[in-house]
Amino acid sequence: MGQVEPGLPSASVPLKVTDADREVEIVLRCLIRQEHPDDAFIGEEFGVHGHGRRRWIIDAMHGTASFLAGEPEWSTLIAVEEDGRITLGIASAPAAGRRWWVGPDSGPGPGF
């Protein structure tokens, strides 16, 4: 797998997966599983796990190149799919102190 030098992100170069990418996905899966033990997961780092009517879709660290460069333009993206329908989308940008969400019945949260 190719590596990106910090400060030099490029869409044409495969990005390095960091320990932080993996750790964030592990923590999210563990926290969600505590509340929803029968749910399934699709994660960018660890793939598919489990089968259930509800599935959590996780990109633990979207924007790895920005993260590696120390820039705030990275986020955690989470969607919830229930019975084949997306029912919640969350984008959290911790370095920027922002979080957005939207659901089919709730309308958009802050930032939309």
Side-chain angles (χ1 to χ4, degrees):
M1 177 175 262
Q3 294 185 9
V4 174
E5 293 293 320
L8 299 174
S10 170
S12 64
V13 177
L15 296 177
K16 178 181 178 185
V17 175
T18 67
D19 289 339
D21 289 279
R22 292 182 191 97
E23 289 176 26
V24 170
E25 186 170 324
I26 288 169
V27 167
L28 287 171
R29 285 179 182 234
C30 288
L31 290 170
I32 293 166
R33 195 172 291 121
Q34 288 175 6
E35 297 295 321
H36 306 281
D38 297 326
D39 290 3
F41 294 90
I42 298 176
E44 185 176 30
E45 309 311 329
F46 298 106
V48 177
H49 181 268
H51 300 282
R53 71 168 215 56
R54 182 172 36 222
R55 180 164 61 172
W56 298 78
I57 304 164
I58 300 169
D59 182 351
M61 190 172 290
H62 183 75
T64 301
S66 291
F67 174 78
L68 290 172
E71 299 168 355
E73 293 86 16
W74 59 272
S75 59
T76 297
L77 307 175
I78 302 171
V80 178
E81 178 186 49
E82 297 182 79
D83 298 321
R85 180 174 171 245
I86 300 295
T87 57
L88 178 66
I90 303 168
S92 181
R98 302 290 307 265
R99 182 172 295 142
W100 304 267
W101 61 88
V102 66
D105 300 323
S106 66
F112 280 98

